[in-house]
Amino acid sequence: MKRRKAKKLSNRLVLAVQYADLQAARRLLRAGADADRPDSHGTTPLYAASVHGDAEITDVLLAAGADPNRESGHGDEGLPLCAAACWGHDDAVRALLAGGADPNRREDGGAGMAPIDWTTQEGLDSTTELLRGAGAFRPLQLI
């Protein structure tokens, strides 16, 4: 596929995901959109689905080859699991964990926050328990 067409498909896929348009996302994937390719702003489709808590689109993207441990964007964005966790989107968290997301992976190339850091900071007990059930832990903080 030519680079220009691939870029257009990626931009359209992220937009479809942001609008929670499952049918459009499926259609774009069938047309050759790469489930793991970011749009022109650096946002990956999986991050967009995760931050909006769309577990169904998350499942579709994972099945199409999206990497659940790939960071998205620049600055404000990060890992799909952190995005879903910090908003308490439990269904999306479950989908990401089932799709292979590492519950202890930290954002910002390993120097940032892990999903459980977000959930404990925000007081999201049910999401924290989901992450703990998947093996997430918070290291001891030395004073």
Short mmCIF file of all heavy atoms in Angstrom, two decimals, residues 48-118:
data_model
loop_
_atom_site.label_atom_id
_atom_site.label_comp_id
_atom_site.label_asym_id
_atom_site.label_seq_id
_atom_site.Cartn_x
_atom_site.Cartn_y
_atom_site.Cartn_z
N ALA A 48 -6.96 5.75 21.53
CA ALA A 48 -8.22 6.49 21.38
C ALA A 48 -9.39 5.67 21.91
O ALA A 48 -10.26 6.20 22.61
CB ALA A 48 -8.44 6.87 19.92
N ALA A 49 -9.42 4.39 21.60
CA ALA A 49 -10.50 3.53 22.10
C ALA A 49 -10.44 3.39 23.62
O ALA A 49 -11.46 3.43 24.31
CB ALA A 49 -10.41 2.15 21.46
N SER A 50 -9.24 3.27 24.16
CA SER A 50 -9.05 3.06 25.59
C SER A 50 -9.44 4.28 26.41
O SER A 50 -10.10 4.15 27.45
CB SER A 50 -7.59 2.69 25.88
OG SER A 50 -7.23 1.53 25.19
N VAL A 51 -9.03 5.44 25.97
CA VAL A 51 -9.32 6.66 26.72
C VAL A 51 -10.82 6.93 26.74
O VAL A 51 -11.34 7.52 27.69
CB VAL A 51 -8.51 7.86 26.20
CG1 VAL A 51 -9.11 8.45 24.94
CG2 VAL A 51 -8.35 8.93 27.27
N HIS A 52 -11.54 6.46 25.71
CA HIS A 52 -12.99 6.63 25.66
C HIS A 52 -13.72 5.45 26.30
O HIS A 52 -14.95 5.47 26.38
CB HIS A 52 -13.46 6.83 24.23
CG HIS A 52 -12.99 8.13 23.65
ND1 HIS A 52 -13.43 9.35 24.09
CD2 HIS A 52 -12.08 8.40 22.68
CE1 HIS A 52 -12.83 10.31 23.42
NE2 HIS A 52 -12.00 9.76 22.56
N GLY A 53 -12.98 4.43 26.71
CA GLY A 53 -13.59 3.29 27.39
C GLY A 53 -14.38 2.38 26.48
O GLY A 53 -15.27 1.67 26.93
N ASP A 54 -14.05 2.35 25.20
CA ASP A 54 -14.79 1.55 24.24
C ASP A 54 -14.19 0.14 24.16
O ASP A 54 -13.28 -0.12 23.37
CB ASP A 54 -14.79 2.22 22.87
CG ASP A 54 -15.85 1.66 21.96
OD1 ASP A 54 -16.05 0.43 21.97
OD2 ASP A 54 -16.47 2.46 21.23
N ALA A 55 -14.70 -0.75 24.97
CA ALA A 55 -14.16 -2.11 25.05
C ALA A 55 -14.38 -2.89 23.76
O ALA A 55 -13.52 -3.69 23.37
CB ALA A 55 -14.78 -2.85 26.23
N GLU A 56 -15.49 -2.65 23.08
CA GLU A 56 -15.78 -3.40 21.86
C GLU A 56 -14.78 -3.04 20.75
O GLU A 56 -14.21 -3.92 20.10
CB GLU A 56 -17.21 -3.14 21.40
CG GLU A 56 -17.67 -4.10 20.34
CD GLU A 56 -19.16 -4.00 20.07
OE1 GLU A 56 -19.81 -3.03 20.51
OE2 GLU A 56 -19.67 -4.91 19.39
N ILE A 57 -14.54 -1.76 20.56
CA ILE A 57 -13.55 -1.35 19.56
C ILE A 57 -12.15 -1.77 20.01
O ILE A 57 -11.33 -2.17 19.18
CB ILE A 57 -13.64 0.16 19.27
CG1 ILE A 57 -14.95 0.47 18.52
CG2 ILE A 57 -12.44 0.64 18.46
CD1 ILE A 57 -15.16 1.94 18.19
N THR A 58 -11.88 -1.71 21.30
CA THR A 58 -10.59 -2.18 21.81
C THR A 58 -10.37 -3.64 21.41
O THR A 58 -9.29 -3.99 20.92
CB THR A 58 -10.53 -2.02 23.34
OG1 THR A 58 -10.60 -0.62 23.66
CG2 THR A 58 -9.28 -2.60 23.93
N ASP A 59 -11.38 -4.47 21.59
CA ASP A 59 -11.27 -5.89 21.20
C ASP A 59 -11.00 -6.04 19.70
O ASP A 59 -10.17 -6.85 19.30
CB ASP A 59 -12.54 -6.65 21.57
CG ASP A 59 -12.64 -6.99 23.04
OD1 ASP A 59 -11.60 -7.11 23.71
OD2 ASP A 59 -13.78 -7.15 23.52
N VAL A 60 -11.71 -5.27 18.89
CA VAL A 60 -11.54 -5.34 17.44
C VAL A 60 -10.11 -4.95 17.05
O VAL A 60 -9.48 -5.60 16.23
CB VAL A 60 -12.59 -4.46 16.73
CG1 VAL A 60 -12.26 -4.26 15.25
CG2 VAL A 60 -13.98 -5.07 16.88
N LEU A 61 -9.61 -3.87 17.64
CA LEU A 61 -8.25 -3.41 17.32
C LEU A 61 -7.19 -4.42 17.77
O LEU A 61 -6.22 -4.67 17.05
CB LEU A 61 -8.00 -2.04 17.95
CG LEU A 61 -8.82 -0.90 17.37
CD1 LEU A 61 -8.70 0.34 18.24
CD2 LEU A 61 -8.41 -0.61 15.94
N LEU A 62 -7.38 -4.99 18.96
CA LEU A 62 -6.44 -6.01 19.43
C LEU A 62 -6.44 -7.22 18.51
O LEU A 62 -5.37 -7.74 18.17
CB LEU A 62 -6.78 -6.41 20.87
CG LEU A 62 -6.47 -5.36 21.93
CD1 LEU A 62 -7.15 -5.72 23.25
CD2 LEU A 62 -4.97 -5.19 22.11
N ALA A 63 -7.62 -7.63 18.08
CA ALA A 63 -7.72 -8.77 17.16
C ALA A 63 -7.06 -8.47 15.81
O ALA A 63 -6.57 -9.38 15.14
CB ALA A 63 -9.19 -9.16 16.96
N ALA A 64 -7.03 -7.18 15.45
CA ALA A 64 -6.42 -6.77 14.18
C ALA A 64 -4.92 -6.50 14.31
O ALA A 64 -4.29 -6.07 13.35
CB ALA A 64 -7.14 -5.53 13.65
N GLY A 65 -4.36 -6.72 15.49
CA GLY A 65 -2.92 -6.62 15.65
C GLY A 65 -2.40 -5.40 16.39
O GLY A 65 -1.18 -5.18 16.41
N ALA A 66 -3.27 -4.61 17.00
CA ALA A 66 -2.79 -3.45 17.77
C ALA A 66 -1.98 -3.93 18.97
O ALA A 66 -2.35 -4.90 19.63
CB ALA A 66 -3.96 -2.59 18.23
N ASP A 67 -0.88 -3.25 19.24
CA ASP A 67 0.01 -3.58 20.36
C ASP A 67 -0.51 -2.91 21.62
O ASP A 67 -0.51 -1.68 21.72
CB ASP A 67 1.42 -3.09 20.05
CG ASP A 67 2.42 -3.38 21.15
OD1 ASP A 67 2.04 -3.89 22.23
OD2 ASP A 67 3.61 -3.05 20.95
N PRO A 68 -0.96 -3.68 22.62
CA PRO A 68 -1.51 -3.08 23.84
C PRO A 68 -0.47 -2.38 24.70
O PRO A 68 -0.82 -1.65 25.63
CB PRO A 68 -2.13 -4.26 24.58
CG PRO A 68 -1.31 -5.43 24.13
CD PRO A 68 -0.96 -5.14 22.69
N ASN A 69 0.82 -2.56 24.39
CA ASN A 69 1.88 -1.96 25.20
C ASN A 69 2.61 -0.83 24.46
O ASN A 69 3.68 -0.41 24.88
CB ASN A 69 2.88 -3.04 25.63
CG ASN A 69 2.22 -4.04 26.56
OD1 ASN A 69 1.65 -3.67 27.58
ND2 ASN A 69 2.25 -5.30 26.19
N ARG A 70 2.00 -0.34 23.40
CA ARG A 70 2.61 0.74 22.62
C ARG A 70 2.11 2.09 23.13
O ARG A 70 0.92 2.33 23.25
CB ARG A 70 2.25 0.60 21.16
CG ARG A 70 2.85 1.71 20.32
CD ARG A 70 2.57 1.53 18.87
NE ARG A 70 3.27 2.61 18.16
CZ ARG A 70 3.23 2.76 16.88
NH1 ARG A 70 2.56 1.91 16.14
NH2 ARG A 70 3.86 3.76 16.32
N GLU A 71 3.06 2.99 23.41
CA GLU A 71 2.68 4.34 23.83
C GLU A 71 2.17 5.13 22.65
O GLU A 71 2.58 4.93 21.52
CB GLU A 71 3.87 5.05 24.47
CG GLU A 71 4.18 4.51 25.85
CD GLU A 71 5.04 5.43 26.67
OE1 GLU A 71 4.62 6.57 26.93
OE2 GLU A 71 6.13 4.99 27.06
N SER A 72 1.28 6.04 22.95
CA SER A 72 0.63 6.85 21.94
C SER A 72 1.00 8.32 22.08
O SER A 72 1.17 8.82 23.19
CB SER A 72 -0.89 6.71 22.09
OG SER A 72 -1.58 7.53 21.19
N GLY A 73 1.09 8.98 20.97
CA GLY A 73 1.16 10.43 20.94
C GLY A 73 2.38 11.05 21.56
O GLY A 73 3.42 10.42 21.74
N HIS A 74 2.20 12.31 21.85
CA HIS A 74 3.26 13.13 22.40
C HIS A 74 2.69 13.88 23.60
O HIS A 74 1.60 14.41 23.54
CB HIS A 74 3.75 14.15 21.36
CG HIS A 74 3.95 13.53 20.00
ND1 HIS A 74 5.03 12.75 19.71
CD2 HIS A 74 3.20 13.56 18.88
CE1 HIS A 74 4.95 12.34 18.45
NE2 HIS A 74 3.84 12.82 17.94
N GLY A 75 3.42 13.93 24.68
CA GLY A 75 2.98 14.74 25.82
C GLY A 75 1.87 14.13 26.63
O GLY A 75 2.12 13.30 27.50
N ASP A 76 0.63 14.49 26.35
CA ASP A 76 -0.51 14.09 27.17
C ASP A 76 -0.88 12.62 27.06
O ASP A 76 -1.53 12.09 27.95
CB ASP A 76 -1.75 14.91 26.79
CG ASP A 76 -1.62 16.36 27.19
OD1 ASP A 76 -0.63 16.72 27.84
OD2 ASP A 76 -2.52 17.14 26.85
N GLU A 77 -0.54 11.98 25.98
CA GLU A 77 -0.96 10.61 25.77
C GLU A 77 0.08 9.64 26.31
O GLU A 77 1.17 10.04 26.69
CB GLU A 77 -1.22 10.36 24.28
CG GLU A 77 -2.38 11.19 23.77
CD GLU A 77 -2.65 10.98 22.30
OE1 GLU A 77 -1.96 10.16 21.65
OE2 GLU A 77 -3.57 11.65 21.80
N GLY A 78 -0.28 8.37 26.36
CA GLY A 78 0.63 7.37 26.87
C GLY A 78 0.17 5.98 26.51
O GLY A 78 -0.22 5.70 25.39
N LEU A 79 0.15 5.10 27.49
CA LEU A 79 -0.23 3.71 27.28
C LEU A 79 -1.75 3.55 27.28
O LEU A 79 -2.45 4.18 28.09
CB LEU A 79 0.35 2.84 28.39
CG LEU A 79 1.87 2.72 28.41
CD1 LEU A 79 2.33 2.07 29.71
CD2 LEU A 79 2.35 1.92 27.21
N PRO A 80 -2.27 2.67 26.42
CA PRO A 80 -3.71 2.43 26.41
C PRO A 80 -4.24 1.97 27.78
O PRO A 80 -5.30 2.44 28.21
CB PRO A 80 -3.88 1.33 25.36
CG PRO A 80 -2.72 1.51 24.45
CD PRO A 80 -1.59 1.95 25.34
N LEU A 81 -3.52 1.10 28.47
CA LEU A 81 -3.99 0.62 29.77
C LEU A 81 -4.04 1.75 30.79
O LEU A 81 -4.97 1.83 31.59
CB LEU A 81 -3.13 -0.55 30.27
CG LEU A 81 -3.63 -1.23 31.54
CD1 LEU A 81 -5.06 -1.75 31.39
CD2 LEU A 81 -2.70 -2.38 31.92
N CYS A 82 -3.07 2.63 30.77
CA CYS A 82 -3.10 3.79 31.68
C CYS A 82 -4.29 4.68 31.36
O CYS A 82 -4.95 5.19 32.26
CB CYS A 82 -1.80 4.57 31.61
SG CYS A 82 -0.41 3.75 32.42
N ALA A 83 -4.57 4.87 30.07
CA ALA A 83 -5.69 5.71 29.66
C ALA A 83 -7.02 5.15 30.16
O ALA A 83 -7.84 5.87 30.72
CB ALA A 83 -5.71 5.86 28.14
N ALA A 84 -7.22 3.87 29.95
CA ALA A 84 -8.47 3.25 30.39
C ALA A 84 -8.55 3.22 31.92
O ALA A 84 -9.61 3.49 32.50
CB ALA A 84 -8.57 1.83 29.85
N ALA A 85 -7.44 2.93 32.56
CA ALA A 85 -7.42 2.82 34.03
C ALA A 85 -7.68 4.15 34.71
O ALA A 85 -8.43 4.22 35.68
CB ALA A 85 -6.09 2.23 34.49
N CYS A 86 -7.06 5.22 34.23
CA CYS A 86 -7.18 6.50 34.93
C CYS A 86 -8.59 7.06 34.87
O CYS A 86 -8.96 7.90 35.69
CB CYS A 86 -6.15 7.51 34.43
SG CYS A 86 -6.51 8.30 32.89
N TRP A 87 -9.39 6.59 33.92
CA TRP A 87 -10.79 7.03 33.83
C TRP A 87 -11.75 5.99 34.41
O TRP A 87 -12.97 6.18 34.37
CB TRP A 87 -11.16 7.34 32.38
CG TRP A 87 -10.46 8.54 31.87
CD1 TRP A 87 -9.37 8.58 31.04
CD2 TRP A 87 -10.76 9.90 32.20
NE1 TRP A 87 -8.99 9.88 30.83
CE2 TRP A 87 -9.82 10.71 31.52
CE3 TRP A 87 -11.71 10.51 33.00
CZ2 TRP A 87 -9.81 12.09 31.62
CZ3 TRP A 87 -11.71 11.89 33.09
CH2 TRP A 87 -10.77 12.66 32.40
N GLY A 88 -11.22 4.88 34.90
CA GLY A 88 -12.08 3.86 35.50
C GLY A 88 -12.91 3.10 34.49
O GLY A 88 -13.99 2.61 34.82
N HIS A 89 -12.41 2.95 33.27
CA HIS A 89 -13.13 2.21 32.23
C HIS A 89 -12.82 0.72 32.38
O HIS A 89 -11.97 0.16 31.69
CB HIS A 89 -12.72 2.70 30.84
CG HIS A 89 -13.06 4.12 30.56
ND1 HIS A 89 -14.31 4.67 30.79
CD2 HIS A 89 -12.31 5.12 30.04
CE1 HIS A 89 -14.32 5.94 30.43
NE2 HIS A 89 -13.11 6.24 29.98
N ASP A 90 -13.51 0.09 33.33
CA ASP A 90 -13.20 -1.29 33.69
C ASP A 90 -13.31 -2.28 32.54
O ASP A 90 -12.49 -3.20 32.42
CB ASP A 90 -14.08 -1.75 34.87
CG ASP A 90 -13.70 -1.08 36.17
OD1 ASP A 90 -12.69 -0.34 36.21
OD2 ASP A 90 -14.43 -1.28 37.16
N ASP A 91 -14.33 -2.13 31.67
CA ASP A 91 -14.47 -3.06 30.55
C ASP A 91 -13.30 -2.94 29.58
O ASP A 91 -12.79 -3.94 29.08
CB ASP A 91 -15.79 -2.84 29.81
CG ASP A 91 -16.99 -3.29 30.64
OD1 ASP A 91 -16.81 -4.12 31.56
OD2 ASP A 91 -18.11 -2.80 30.36
N ALA A 92 -12.85 -1.73 29.33
CA ALA A 92 -11.68 -1.54 28.45
C ALA A 92 -10.42 -2.07 29.12
O ALA A 92 -9.56 -2.66 28.45
CB ALA A 92 -11.53 -0.06 28.09
N VAL A 93 -10.29 -1.89 30.44
CA VAL A 93 -9.15 -2.44 31.17
C VAL A 93 -9.14 -3.96 31.02
O VAL A 93 -8.09 -4.55 30.73
CB VAL A 93 -9.18 -2.01 32.66
CG1 VAL A 93 -8.19 -2.82 33.49
CG2 VAL A 93 -8.91 -0.52 32.80
N ARG A 94 -10.29 -4.59 31.19
CA ARG A 94 -10.37 -6.05 31.05
C ARG A 94 -9.95 -6.48 29.64
O ARG A 94 -9.21 -7.45 29.47
CB ARG A 94 -11.79 -6.54 31.32
CG ARG A 94 -12.16 -6.62 32.76
CD ARG A 94 -13.55 -7.26 32.95
NE ARG A 94 -14.05 -6.96 34.26
CZ ARG A 94 -14.83 -5.92 34.58
NH1 ARG A 94 -15.24 -5.09 33.65
NH2 ARG A 94 -15.21 -5.72 35.82
N ALA A 95 -10.44 -5.76 28.63
CA ALA A 95 -10.11 -6.11 27.24
C ALA A 95 -8.61 -5.97 27.00
O ALA A 95 -7.99 -6.84 26.36
CB ALA A 95 -10.90 -5.22 26.28
N LEU A 96 -8.02 -4.90 27.48
CA LEU A 96 -6.58 -4.69 27.29
C LEU A 96 -5.76 -5.76 28.00
O LEU A 96 -4.78 -6.27 27.45
CB LEU A 96 -6.19 -3.29 27.77
CG LEU A 96 -6.68 -2.16 26.87
CD1 LEU A 96 -6.65 -0.84 27.62
CD2 LEU A 96 -5.84 -2.10 25.60
N LEU A 97 -6.14 -6.09 29.23
CA LEU A 97 -5.41 -7.13 29.96
C LEU A 97 -5.53 -8.47 29.25
O LEU A 97 -4.54 -9.19 29.11
CB LEU A 97 -5.93 -7.22 31.40
CG LEU A 97 -5.58 -6.03 32.30
CD1 LEU A 97 -6.36 -6.11 33.61
CD2 LEU A 97 -4.08 -5.96 32.56
N ALA A 98 -6.73 -8.78 28.75
CA ALA A 98 -6.93 -10.03 28.01
C ALA A 98 -6.13 -10.03 26.71
O ALA A 98 -5.69 -11.08 26.25
CB ALA A 98 -8.41 -10.24 27.71
N GLY A 99 -5.90 -8.83 26.16
CA GLY A 99 -5.14 -8.70 24.93
C GLY A 99 -3.64 -8.62 25.12
O GLY A 99 -2.90 -8.42 24.16
N GLY A 100 -3.17 -8.74 26.36
CA GLY A 100 -1.73 -8.80 26.61
C GLY A 100 -1.10 -7.54 27.17
O GLY A 100 0.13 -7.44 27.24
N ALA A 101 -1.90 -6.57 27.60
CA ALA A 101 -1.32 -5.36 28.20
C ALA A 101 -0.61 -5.72 29.50
O ALA A 101 -1.12 -6.49 30.31
CB ALA A 101 -2.40 -4.32 28.46
N ASP A 102 0.56 -5.16 29.69
CA ASP A 102 1.36 -5.39 30.89
C ASP A 102 0.84 -4.47 32.00
O ASP A 102 0.94 -3.25 31.89
CB ASP A 102 2.82 -5.08 30.58
CG ASP A 102 3.76 -5.26 31.76
OD1 ASP A 102 3.28 -5.48 32.91
OD2 ASP A 102 4.98 -5.17 31.55
N PRO A 103 0.30 -5.03 33.09
CA PRO A 103 -0.27 -4.19 34.14
C PRO A 103 0.76 -3.39 34.94
O PRO A 103 0.39 -2.49 35.69
CB PRO A 103 -1.00 -5.19 35.04
CG PRO A 103 -0.27 -6.47 34.84
CD PRO A 103 0.17 -6.45 33.40
N ASN A 104 2.03 -3.68 34.76
CA ASN A 104 3.08 -2.97 35.49
C ASN A 104 3.93 -2.07 34.60
O ASN A 104 4.87 -1.45 35.08
CB ASN A 104 3.98 -3.96 36.23
CG ASN A 104 3.23 -4.63 37.35
OD1 ASN A 104 2.71 -3.96 38.23
ND2 ASN A 104 3.13 -5.94 37.31
N ARG A 105 3.59 -1.99 33.34
CA ARG A 105 4.37 -1.15 32.42
C ARG A 105 4.13 0.33 32.73
O ARG A 105 3.01 0.75 32.93
CB ARG A 105 3.98 -1.46 30.98
CG ARG A 105 4.88 -0.80 29.97
CD ARG A 105 4.48 -1.24 28.56
NE ARG A 105 5.45 -0.79 27.60
CZ ARG A 105 6.35 -1.55 27.03
NH1 ARG A 105 6.40 -2.83 27.33
NH2 ARG A 105 7.19 -1.06 26.15
N ARG A 106 5.19 1.08 32.76
CA ARG A 106 5.12 2.52 33.07
C ARG A 106 5.16 3.34 31.78
O ARG A 106 5.81 2.97 30.82
CB ARG A 106 6.28 2.92 33.97
CG ARG A 106 6.23 2.23 35.31
CD ARG A 106 7.29 2.71 36.26
NE ARG A 106 6.95 2.26 37.59
CZ ARG A 106 6.05 2.83 38.39
NH1 ARG A 106 5.42 3.91 38.00
NH2 ARG A 106 5.79 2.33 39.57
N GLU A 107 4.47 4.46 31.82
CA GLU A 107 4.46 5.38 30.68
C GLU A 107 5.78 6.12 30.57
O GLU A 107 6.66 5.99 31.41
CB GLU A 107 3.31 6.39 30.84
CG GLU A 107 1.95 5.74 30.76
CD GLU A 107 0.82 6.72 30.85
OE1 GLU A 107 0.69 7.39 31.89
OE2 GLU A 107 0.05 6.80 29.88
N ASP A 108 5.88 6.95 29.55
CA ASP A 108 7.06 7.79 29.31
C ASP A 108 8.34 6.96 29.23
O ASP A 108 9.35 7.27 29.88
CB ASP A 108 7.20 8.88 30.38
CG ASP A 108 5.98 9.79 30.44
OD1 ASP A 108 5.41 10.07 29.36
OD2 ASP A 108 5.59 10.21 31.54
N GLY A 109 8.26 5.89 28.46
CA GLY A 109 9.43 5.05 28.27
C GLY A 109 9.91 4.34 29.52
O GLY A 109 11.07 4.01 29.64
N GLY A 110 9.01 4.13 30.47
CA GLY A 110 9.35 3.43 31.70
C GLY A 110 9.62 4.35 32.88
O GLY A 110 9.79 3.89 34.01
N ALA A 111 9.64 5.65 32.66
CA ALA A 111 9.94 6.59 33.74
C ALA A 111 8.69 7.23 34.35
O ALA A 111 8.79 7.94 35.35
CB ALA A 111 10.85 7.71 33.21
N GLY A 112 7.52 6.97 33.79
CA GLY A 112 6.30 7.61 34.24
C GLY A 112 5.47 6.74 35.16
O GLY A 112 5.98 5.85 35.85
N MET A 113 4.18 6.96 35.12
CA MET A 113 3.26 6.26 36.01
C MET A 113 2.80 4.94 35.38
O MET A 113 2.69 4.82 34.17
CB MET A 113 2.06 7.15 36.31
CG MET A 113 2.43 8.36 37.16
SD MET A 113 1.07 9.53 37.41
CE MET A 113 -0.03 8.61 38.47
N ALA A 114 2.51 3.98 36.25
CA ALA A 114 1.92 2.70 35.85
C ALA A 114 0.40 2.81 36.02
O ALA A 114 -0.09 3.71 36.72
CB ALA A 114 2.48 1.58 36.73
N PRO A 115 -0.36 1.91 35.40
CA PRO A 115 -1.81 1.99 35.52
C PRO A 115 -2.31 2.04 36.96
O PRO A 115 -3.21 2.83 37.29
CB PRO A 115 -2.29 0.72 34.82
CG PRO A 115 -1.21 0.39 33.85
CD PRO A 115 0.07 0.83 34.51
N ILE A 116 -1.72 1.25 37.84
CA ILE A 116 -2.19 1.23 39.24
C ILE A 116 -1.88 2.53 39.96
O ILE A 116 -2.58 2.93 40.90
CB ILE A 116 -1.64 -0.01 39.99
CG1 ILE A 116 -2.52 -0.29 41.22
CG2 ILE A 116 -0.18 0.16 40.34
CD1 ILE A 116 -2.33 -1.67 41.79
N ASP A 117 -0.85 3.24 39.53
CA ASP A 117 -0.57 4.56 40.10
C ASP A 117 -1.73 5.51 39.81
O ASP A 117 -2.15 6.29 40.67
CB ASP A 117 0.72 5.15 39.52
CG ASP A 117 1.96 4.34 39.87
OD1 ASP A 117 1.98 3.71 40.94
OD2 ASP A 117 2.90 4.34 39.05
N TRP A 118 -2.23 5.45 38.57
CA TRP A 118 -3.37 6.30 38.20
C TRP A 118 -4.62 5.96 39.01
O TRP A 118 -5.30 6.85 39.50
CB TRP A 118 -3.67 6.16 36.71
CG TRP A 118 -2.69 6.81 35.81
CD1 TRP A 118 -1.72 6.20 35.06
CD2 TRP A 118 -2.57 8.21 35.57
NE1 TRP A 118 -1.01 7.15 34.36
CE2 TRP A 118 -1.50 8.39 34.65
CE3 TRP A 118 -3.25 9.34 36.04
CZ2 TRP A 118 -1.11 9.64 34.19
CZ3 TRP A 118 -2.86 10.58 35.56
CH2 TRP A 118 -1.81 10.72 34.66
#
